[in-house]
Amino acid sequence: MGNHLVQLLLTQATFWLCVGMFLRLFTYQRGEARYRFGISCLAWLVMGSAGSAALYILKGWLVVPPHAWPLVVLLGVFAWALFRTRGNLARVWRIQ
């Protein structure tokens, strides 16, 4: 597999993971969960970062190089944890 194809696949994976995380956090409904200012600020930071990364990829300003695959895996694990907790960032950071 050529480097260009790997670059394309990693960039596409990063784009969709960032879009998914942004949408999951944007549509989070607190319900009975307690409001925490610090977690709220962290959620806004994650949303801003994920949204910015997706926009940079769309504009062609961000291309993920092949040797950055561990970062894409880490992003995938974080996105999976975020979806598993239905967007509750406090539950993602909780240690059990």
Side-chain angles (χ1 to χ4, degrees), residues 1 4-5 8 10 13 17 20 23-24 27 30-32 34 37 39-40 42 45 49 53 59 67 69 74 81 88:
M1 200 174 339
H4 183 68
L5 183 58
L8 181 65
L10 290 175
L17 288 169
L23 290 175
R24 180 62 260 187
T27 59
R30 188 166 44 100
E32 297 294 318
R34 189 176 68 156
F37 180 75
I39 296 295
S40 180
L42 184 61
L45 181 66
S49 299
K59 290 184 173 192
H67 61 270
W69 66 266
L74 183 63
N88 188 342

Side-chain angles (χ1 to χ4, degrees), residues 51-83:
S52 294
L55 288 176
Y56 286 160
I57 289 171
L58 278 178
K59 290 184 173 192
W61 295 349
L62 176 62
V63 177
V64 180
H67 61 270
W69 66 266
L71 293 176
V72 179
V73 171
L74 183 63
L75 186 63
V77 169
F78 185 62
W80 171 79
L82 199 57
F83 276 92

Side-chain angles (χ1 to χ4, degrees), residues 22 25-26 28-30 33-49 78 82 87-93:
F22 178 85
L25 286 171
F26 187 74
Y28 174 68
Q29 294 183 359
R30 188 166 44 100
R34 189 176 68 156
Y35 174 77
R36 297 182 194 169
F37 180 75
I39 296 295
S40 180
C41 289
L42 184 61
W44 275 100
L45 181 66
V46 171
M47 282 177 53
S49 299
F78 185 62
L82 199 57
N88 188 342
L89 202 54
R91 286 182 56 204
V92 171
W93 296 112

